[in-house]
Amino acid sequence: MTKVVEISPTTRLEGHSKLTLKVDDQGIVERGDWLSITPVRGIEKLAIGKTMEQVPKIASRVCGICPIAHTLASTEAMEASIGCEIPTDAKLLRTILHAANRIHSIALHNILILPDFYIPGTEKKFNLFANEQPDRSVMARIVRIREIGQTIGAIAGGEAIHPSNPRIGGMYHNVSPRAKQKMADLAKEGLVLAHEQMEFMLDVIRNMQNREFVEVAGKQIPLPKTLGYHNQGVMATSSMYGSSSLDENPTWDFTRWKETRPWDWYMGEVTIDLEDPSYPVGGTTKVGTKANPQMEACTGVPTYDGQPVEVGPRARLSTFKNFDEKGTFAQHIARQMEYPDCCYTILKCLDNLNTSGKVLADHIPQGDGSMGWAANEAPRGTNIHLARVKDGKVLWYDMLVPTTWNFPTCSRALTGAPWQIAEMVVRAYDPCVSCATHMIVVNEEEKIVAQKLMQW
C-alpha cells in the first residue's frame, strides 16, 4: 500500500527545498518529487529596462555561492545579444576566475556530503568539526583549497564573491606580472592539495559503494547499488568553461529547450500518512498534513529534446570524457575528478596570459534587440542566461540555472531508493536552490498570483 512521507526542509544544501515521496510497504520510493520552496528571485523582471552593464551585477546577487558563474553568464549573454567579441586576454582572465570558483565550490560540497560517509575501515561517520583525526586534517585541507580558489578569484575577478572586474566587452583591468605570479604559485600549491583531496574522496566514496547498509537515525537502511539511477539524458556545453550564441559552433541549441509549468508536472494534493519523528533533523512532516507539490513548486520544468536532463560533473565527464558510471556515487566521483582539472586550467591560462595585452573590446555595440545566450559550466552544471538588448537597455532576460535543470531529473532518480536516504541522492546534485527559483505560484489562499511571470 502506497504511503506518503515528506522531508521538509531538506538539509545541507543552499536554499530551501523539500521532498514529497510516495513509498511502498518497505519504504522504497515509488515516486519522488523534489521541489524548490524558496521564494521568488524576480531577476527577469528586475532586468527589464536596466542597462546591459547593470544586469550582470543584479544577476550575481541571486546567489552567494555561484555569483561568479552568474556574473560571467549574464555578461556574456549581453555580449551575445549585441554581437561583441572580447579580447583573448580578457577571456583567459574569465576562465581563470571560473575555474577558481569551481575548485572552491567542490571543496565546499565535500564539507556538506562527508557527514553521510564513513571513515574507511570503520563504522564511524565523518564529523569535520571534531578535533580528531582524520577529520581535523581533512577539514584543514579543504579550508586551504577553498582559500586558494577564493584568492585566485579575487585577483582575477576583483572580488571572490561578487566579482567587479568583468564588464561588457571584456574586463576592466588586466593583472600585473606580480599578480600573475601569485596566482601561479597558488595554483601549483592547489594542484598538490587537489590531487590529495581527490584521492582521499575517491577512497571514501568507493568504500561507501561497497557497503550494504547505512545508519540513519539509529536504523540500518539498505544501500541500493543503483542508488540515484535514472533514464534521463545528460547535458553539458564544455568540460570546463562553456559556449554562447556567438560561437561558430555553439554546443547548446536554444530551439531544443522548452519549459513546462510545475502544475503540469508535479504530483497534486496528497495527505501525509507516514511519519518518523526520529529522522534528522527534527523528524519528518506530521501525519495528516496536506502537501501539494503542484502548487508549492517555485520553478518551472525545463526540458531539452522533450525530456528533463542531468547537468553537472557527471554530465560533463560523460559528454566530453567518456565517463560511463551512473547514479549518485558516479556524480560524487566525477566531481572529485574535476579538482585537478581546475588547477591545470588556471595554470594553462596563466601560461598564455599577456599582462600587457588589452582586455577591453575596441568597439562595444549597443544592440538591436537580437536574442543572445551564454552558457557556462558552473560547479553544479550548465548555467544559461538569455538576453535581448537594444540601445544598451535590456528588453528581455531569462536564466536557466543548473539546479532548475536537475530538479526534475533528480526527482526521477529517487525512484527505488529507501526514503531515509533520499537526501543523499539530492545532495549528490550539489543543489543550489535560491537561484533556481523564479516565480511565486500561490498566495495564502493557494490562488495563483504570478500569472504574469509565467507567460512563456
Side-chain angles (χ1 to χ4, degrees), residues 228-245:
Y229 278 34
H230 62 77
N231 294 320
Q232 314 299 334
V234 297
M235 184 180 78
T237 58
S238 165
S239 61
M240 178 54 67
Y241 196 82
S243 184
S244 87
S245 53

Side-chain angles (χ1 to χ4, degrees), residues 267-287:
M267 69 175 86
E269 184 175 273
V270 291
T271 302
I272 308 303
D273 52 8
L274 176 62
E275 178 184 349
D276 184 350
S278 69
Y279 183 81
V281 176
T284 59
T285 301
K286 292 187 178 303
V287 166

Side-chain angles (χ1 to χ4, degrees), residues 1-200:
M1 179 180 175
T2 298
K3 292 192 173 184
V4 181
V5 60
E6 185 178 78
I7 301 168
S8 179
T10 50
T11 58
R12 283 189 271 136
L13 52 83
E14 190 281 334
H16 300 279
S17 73
K18 73 173 189 175
L19 285 159
T20 305
L21 309 167
K22 290 184 176 179
V23 303
D24 65 15
D25 291 337
Q26 285 71 48
I28 304 300
V29 177
E30 294 179 338
R31 172 178 174 139
D33 275 5
W34 176 42
L35 55 146
S36 167
I37 51 175
T38 304
V40 67
R41 82 180 173 212
I43 297 296
E44 286 87 345
K45 291 298 180 186
L46 289 172
I48 294 174
K50 302 294 192 301
T51 69
M52 58 182 175
E53 290 285 0
Q54 287 177 297
V55 172
K57 307 298 183 188
I58 297 171
S60 82
R61 266 66 184 178
V62 75
C63 179
I65 305 296
C66 293
I68 289 170
H70 290 308
T71 297
L72 295 178
S74 181
T75 302
E76 293 176 6
M78 306 297 160
E79 291 166 349
S81 176
I82 64 177
C84 180
E85 300 279 358
I86 69 171
T88 299
D89 289 309
K91 190 72 175 182
L92 290 170
L93 284 174
R94 289 184 182 181
T95 306
I96 291 168
L97 179 59
H98 178 85
N101 176 235
R102 187 186 293 181
I103 194 171
H104 132 77
S105 188
I106 297 171
L108 174 61
H109 188 243
N110 284 175
I111 296 174
L112 298 177
I113 63 167
L114 273 171
D116 288 328
F117 287 79
Y118 291 83
I119 298 171
T122 77
E123 289 299 310
K124 182 182 177 185
K125 287 188 176 180
F126 282 95
N127 176 8
L128 296 182
F129 299 100
N131 191 25
E132 300 172 3
Q133 298 294 0
D135 307 83
R136 186 180 176 90
S137 297
V138 174
M139 189 61 162
R141 184 167 58 218
I142 289 174
V143 168
R144 181 55 182 159
I145 291 172
R146 294 190 64 212
E147 184 179 26
I148 288 171
Q150 293 292 72
T151 305
I152 293 174
I155 295 171
E159 284 84 20
I161 303 299
H162 297 291
S164 58
N165 199 15
R167 56 159 295 175
I168 307 299
M171 303 289 273
Y172 280 103
H173 308 288
N174 203 335
V175 297
S176 67
R178 185 176 178 183
K180 175 181 173 178
Q181 186 58 53
K182 174 72 173 176
M183 288 191 285
D185 291 343
L186 287 168
K188 290 173 184 173
E189 179 190 351
L191 182 59
V192 174
L193 296 174
H195 274 292
E196 290 177 1
Q197 184 64 12
M198 176 186 71
E199 295 298 336
F200 163 78

